[in-house]
């Protein structure tokens, strides 16, 4: 019992990975400093497309953080058989993804040193404020949940208490995704965003990419001998992934039909997605999700390698969905009459006219943004790896 | 208690951009920033007529903050840096408070009326111009038209209205039935931009 709970010593590869992640993190912070001193004009964002890669990645990582927590808390909350003791690794993955998500909000802010104002001048009617509150709660709760799981294994916390915490964590996880959706969904000004379905849809997308991430992490950890896991548990996860993919596609279908059917301005939105500049993202998303589901549902295809492919496809598909949602929101301006443009108006302002500026994708990130993004993801990877090395996350022996 | 609003007579507007410049100078706007712009209805580029000769048609729509009665921006600002002034109904912006999250820009349906200082503000001239007490611009915060709060709070009228050679703009208290704006709204037919967004703008376009 105690020996199995001891931290993994980790091989040389793990140490190298930790160093690489640390270096990339430092590089990312340096680039962020460049962004702050030289100005955000160095990003691709402009007045008419005022959010970009950072907020896209924020949405994406909030989604990724779901999987681990939900997968480990559902069985416990409903008193079902757990998934082979992977819940500690899964929750740790969630915690790391949440930290990354918060990091993306911070680098997107023009005045990060005023972040304290959020807690002093909180405007409680702002969905962004709600999200900050639930995100913080979620992070703290995930840590408490992980700690309680460890204490319960040592017999210090009762199973009932653990079950109560897991129910609260589950509710909170669903709230995090819904509230993140509301940052966009409550804004009537962008037709693509303004749909009641956005909340549930964010939850389903979060389940897709979160489960996929857990599958990838678990297969990798099993491969390197960090944990043992019965194949039937993996099959269970794969079936869940397939089901989540189907729900996500179903929601997408419902939303497209509702937007497009009346044929008004909603049809323009649908056209922009299906045939317009964002079509590559749209189709990658649809095809990727469908393929992932197919692999998960066909028993003969559920080999380990194939499952990793399915998971990666699902993750890429959801990333495409995030890009499409964010950029798509800005792709159709409400007031599209021509006017004089400056270097701050819109990313492609050199194109000369509004119509030309919107011909391709209205926003595309610069190398600086990509660099900062890599840095923040590296920070998450660093946390994940250090956790695997130092924390007792291995499954307890039965 | 007042509710300041503006009427813009599209029949009088000649699209000269004097308001754009007046605004720029009086508020000492940084390079590349415009709080009010002149949009061309029809046509593919600014100042091009729509249609085919001899049936060409050209109409201008000046666009700046609409100082909505039900603003989308103030609701979503997490720190209350943009807020509705209770005395005047003007949507104001506190540069010292703004954290630069750009939530308000995403929420505002009037494309491009809010602008962000994407870098340290730079100016064409070495010295500040316009109203001496116009708030100083800051890097990485959002700003926009304030109905020239520094002027109107001293009993003056907004700069764009003052300089308009066509006298297309009028400004005043919408709650006072004897004000010029109220009279114009009562006697003329008007349009409001994106009325179906439910923002209830305080800017009226007389048609
Ligand atoms: S950018 Fe500034 S004014 Fe706009 S919502 Fe954020 S904090 Fe408020």
């Amino acid at each position: 019992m105690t020996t199995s709970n001891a931290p993994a010593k980790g091989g040389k590869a793990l140490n190298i990975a930790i160093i690489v992640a640390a270096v990339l993190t430092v590089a990312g912070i340096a680039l962020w400093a460049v962004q702050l001193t030289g100005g955000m004009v160095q990003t691709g964002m402009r007045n008419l497309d005022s959010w970009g890669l950072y907020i896209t990645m924020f949405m994406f990582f909030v989604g990724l953080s779901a999987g681990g927590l939900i997968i480990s808390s559902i069985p416990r909350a409903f008193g079902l058989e757990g998934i082979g003791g992977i819940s500690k690794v899964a929750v740790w993955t969630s915690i790391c993804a949440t930290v990354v998500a918060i990091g993306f909000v911070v680098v997107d802010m023009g005045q990060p040193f005023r972040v304290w104002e959020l807690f002093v001048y909180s405007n409680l009617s702002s969905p962004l404020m709600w999200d900050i509150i639930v995100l913080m709660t979620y992070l703290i709760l995930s840590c408490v949940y992980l700690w309680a799981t460890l204490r319960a294994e040592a017999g210090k916390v009762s199973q009932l208490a653990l079950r109560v915490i897991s129910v609260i964590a589950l509710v909170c996880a669903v709230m995090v995704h819904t509230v993140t959706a509301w940052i966009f969904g409550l804004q009537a000004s962008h037709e693509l965003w303004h749909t009641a379905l956005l909340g549930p849809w964010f939850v389903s997308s979060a389940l897709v990419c979160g489960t996929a991430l857990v599958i990838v992490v678990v297969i990798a950890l099993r491969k390197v001998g960090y944990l043992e896991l019965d194949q039937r548990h993996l099959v269970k996860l794969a079936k869940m992934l397939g089901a989540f993919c189907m729900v996500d596609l179903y929601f997408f279908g419902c939303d497209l039909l509702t937007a497009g059917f009346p044929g008004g301005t909603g049809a323009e939105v649908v056209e922009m997605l299906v045939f317009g500049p964002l079509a590559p993202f749209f189709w990658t998303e649809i095809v990727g999700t469908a393929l992932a589901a197919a692999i998960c549902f066909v028993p003969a295809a559920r080999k380990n390698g194939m499952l990793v492919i399915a998971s990666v496809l699902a993750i890429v598909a959801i990333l495409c969905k995030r890009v499409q949602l964010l950029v798509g929101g800005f792709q159709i301006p409400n007031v599209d009459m021509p006017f004089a443009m400056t270097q701050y108006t819109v990313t492609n302002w050199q194109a000369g006219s509004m119509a030309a500026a919107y011909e391709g994708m209205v926003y595309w990130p610069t190398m600086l943004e990509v660099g900062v993004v890599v840095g923040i993801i590296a920070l998450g990877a660093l946390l994940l790896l250090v956790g695997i090395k130092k924390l007792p996350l291995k499954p307890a022996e039965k | 208690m007042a509710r300041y609003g503006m009427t813009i007579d599209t029949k009088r507007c000649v699209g000269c951009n004097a308001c754009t410049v007046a605004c720029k100078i009086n508020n000492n706007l940084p390079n590349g920033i415009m709080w009010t712009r002149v949009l061309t209805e029809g046509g593919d580029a600014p100042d091009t007529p729509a249609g085919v000769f001899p049936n060409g048609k050209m109409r201008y729509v000046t666009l700046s903050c609409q100082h909505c009665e039900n603003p989308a921006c103030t609701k979503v600002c997490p720190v209350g840096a943009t807020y509705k002034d209770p005395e005047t109904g003007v949507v104001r912006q506190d540069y010292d408070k703004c954290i630069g999250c750009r939530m308000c820009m995403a929420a505002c349906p009037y494309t491009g009326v809010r602008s962000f200082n994407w870098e340290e503000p730079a100016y064409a001239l070495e010295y500040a111009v316009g109203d001496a007490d116009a708030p100083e611009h800051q890097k990485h915060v959002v700003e926009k038209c304030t109905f020239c709060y520094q002027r109107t709070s001293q009993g003056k009228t907004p700069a764009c209205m003052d300089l308009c050679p066509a006298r297309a703009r009028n400004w005043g208290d919408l709650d006072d039935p004897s004000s010029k704006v109220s009279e114009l709204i009562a006697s003329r037919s008007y349009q409001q931009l994106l009325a179906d967004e439910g923002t209830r703008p305080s800017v009226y376009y007389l048609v």
Side-chain angles (χ1 to χ4, degrees):
Chain A
M1 183 79 197
T2 36
T3 43
S4 71
N5 244 355
K9 284 286 161 285
K12 216 167 158 201
L14 185 56
N15 288 333
I16 293 174
I18 288 177
I19 292 170
V20 171
V23 170
L24 286 176
T25 307
V26 173
I29 293 173
L31 285 176
W32 180 38
V34 170
Q35 171 183 306
L36 283 179
T37 47
M40 294 178 84
V41 69
Q42 299 166 92
T43 70
M45 297 182 272
R46 292 295 181 267
N47 288 339
L48 300 198
D49 43 349
S50 48
W51 281 337
L53 189 60
Y54 298 149
I55 297 296
T56 309
M57 296 310 274
F58 160 68
M59 275 194 266
F60 179 62
F61 273 87
V62 168
L64 274 184
S65 77
L69 198 84
I70 293 183
I71 281 176
S72 60
S73 59
I74 283 183
R76 202 166 272 149
F78 293 102
L80 308 170
E81 189 207 4
I83 303 177
I86 58 167
S87 66
K88 281 172 292 175
V89 177
V91 174
W92 182 243
T93 318
S94 288
I95 293 174
C96 297
T98 313
V99 171
V100 171
I102 293 174
F104 281 119
V105 182
V106 174
V107 294
D108 186 68
M109 282 171 52
Q111 298 282 353
F113 298 115
R114 294 180 186 172
V115 72
W116 55 271
E117 288 184 8
L118 286 171
F119 306 98
V120 180
Y121 303 124
S122 326
N123 174 16
L124 292 179
S125 74
S126 167
L128 191 60
M129 197 64 228
W130 307 343
D131 205 40
I132 286 159
I133 295 170
V134 291
L135 214 55
M136 291 294 172
T137 316
Y138 182 61
L139 186 60
I140 295 169
L141 217 61
S142 308
C143 294
V144 169
Y145 182 46
L146 182 60
W147 172 83
T149 311
L150 290 171
R151 300 296 288 168
E153 278 171 5
K156 297 275 167 53
V157 166
S158 76
Q159 285 302 325
L160 181 67
L162 189 57
R163 195 164 165 183
V164 170
I165 296 176
S166 70
V167 172
I168 300 173
L170 185 60
V171 172
C172 191
V174 172
M175 276 323 286
V176 165
H177 300 97
T178 312
V179 176
T180 303
W182 286 342
I183 291 184
F184 304 90
L186 297 184
Q187 303 199 4
S189 52
H190 299 264
E191 197 162 357
L192 176 64
W193 297 348
H194 191 56
T195 158
L197 196 56
L198 212 65
W201 197 4
F202 262 55
V203 176
S204 73
S205 298
L207 288 170
V208 170
C209 63
T211 312
L213 182 70
V214 170
I215 292 180
V216 173
V217 170
V218 165
I219 290 183
L221 289 179
R222 191 171 70 171
K223 186 115 193 158
V224 299
Y226 181 79
L227 48 75
E228 275 164 28
L229 187 68
D230 206 57
Q231 189 67 12
R232 89 194 145 88
H233 291 305
L234 214 51
V235 168
K236 210 190 294 175
L237 279 174
K239 284 182 183 162
M240 281 165 75
L241 175 59
F244 294 147
C245 284
M246 294 315 288
V247 173
D248 206 55
L249 281 177
Y250 164 69
F251 281 165
F252 206 172
C254 291
D255 203 53
L256 285 177
L257 187 64
T258 311
F261 186 79
T265 48
E268 273 171 49
V269 175
V270 175
E271 199 189 313
M272 181 262 294
L273 292 181
V274 181
F275 306 112
L278 287 160
F281 292 92
F282 174 84
W283 290 110
T284 310
E285 173 191 351
I286 301 285
V287 174
T289 320
L291 273 181
I295 294 175
C296 291
F297 286 144
V298 178
R302 281 197 293 257
K303 305 266 166 5
N304 279 345
M306 289 299 276
L307 281 183
V308 172
I309 293 178
S311 302
V312 171
L313 273 176
I315 292 174
V316 170
I318 298 300
L319 181 60
C320 283
K321 177 186 155 181
R322 304 305 191 194
V323 173
Q324 167 200 302
L325 189 80
L326 189 117
V327 181
F330 294 110
Q331 190 78 35
I332 301 179
N334 283 326
V335 182
D336 60 353
M337 293 175 244
F339 55 88
M341 290 193 282
T342 76
Q343 69 270 34
Y344 304 129
T345 310
V346 63
T347 312
N348 309 315
W349 71 286
Q350 295 96 333
S353 72
M354 278 279 272
Y358 282 83
E359 212 137 78
M361 267 172 81
V362 67
Y363 161 84
W364 194 253
T366 60
M367 285 321 286
L368 179 90
E369 280 170 285
V370 175
V372 172
V373 165
V374 170
I376 299 177
I377 295 175
L379 172 69
L382 182 66
L383 278 177
L384 185 66
L385 296 171
V386 169
I388 286 176
K389 192 176 158 79
K390 299 271 183 210
L391 294 175
L393 301 175
K394 279 194 174 188
E397 302 267 323
K398 303 272 155 53
Chain B
M1 276 296 288
R3 187 162 74 84
Y4 289 158
M6 185 170 265
T7 58
I8 298 165
D9 194 334
T10 55
K11 290 211 165 109
R12 278 175 167 266
C13 176
V14 293
C16 67
N17 270 305
C19 50
T20 316
V21 177
C23 170
K24 181 126 187 140
I25 291 182
N26 273 276
N27 292 292
N28 193 33
L29 296 187
N31 297 346
I33 303 289
M34 283 181 261
W35 282 357
T36 182
R37 297 165 296 158
V38 178
L39 276 45
T40 312
E41 203 176 73
D44 301 324
D47 265 326
T48 52
V52 179
F53 180 82
N55 298 316
K57 211 179 125 202
M58 186 139 86
R59 198 168 81 114
Y60 294 105
V61 176
T62 60
L63 181 63
S64 55
C65 175
Q66 303 285 301
H67 295 283
C68 307
E69 224 188 312
N70 176 31
C73 53
T74 58
K75 241 185 270 180
V76 302
C77 176
V79 294
T82 186
Y83 59 99
K84 208 168 162 55
D85 185 44
E87 298 297 310
T88 60
V90 170
V91 176
R92 298 187 62 191
Q93 186 78 20
D94 185 339
Y95 302 159
D96 291 328
K97 219 176 187 186
C98 175
I99 59 171
C101 64
R102 309 188 296 293
M103 187 74 192
C104 52
M105 297 176 85
C108 174
Y110 302 98
T111 310
V113 303
R114 286 181 162 266
S115 63
F116 187 70
N117 286 325
W118 296 96
E119 58 188 326
E120 193 62 50
Y123 304 89
L125 298 171
E126 274 152 32
Y127 43 88
V129 292
D131 299 319
D133 44 3
E136 211 171 299
H137 302 281
Q138 288 181 25
K139 174 181 163 185
H140 287 183
V141 301
V142 167
E143 50 178 53
K144 66 169 190 73
C145 157
T146 62
F147 267 163
C148 281
Y149 200 84
Q150 74 279 9
R151 299 167 66 84
T152 52
S153 56
Q154 291 170 10
K156 294 192 233 162
T157 47
C160 56
M161 167 183 168
D162 274 359
L163 210 66
C164 175
R167 290 198 209 146
R169 291 180 183 255
N170 272 288
W171 172 89
D173 183 3
L174 296 170
D175 279 350
D176 171 6
S178 63
S179 69
K180 179 93 189 192
V181 277
S182 297
E183 275 173 13
L184 281 168
I185 291 166
S187 60
R188 294 273 304 271
S189 50
Y190 62 83
Q191 280 174 353
Q192 289 188 293
L193 268 189
L194 309 178
D196 50 357
E197 294 279 341
T199 47
R200 299 200 294 280
S202 299
V203 174
Y204 293 76
Y205 294 87
L206 306 174
V207 290

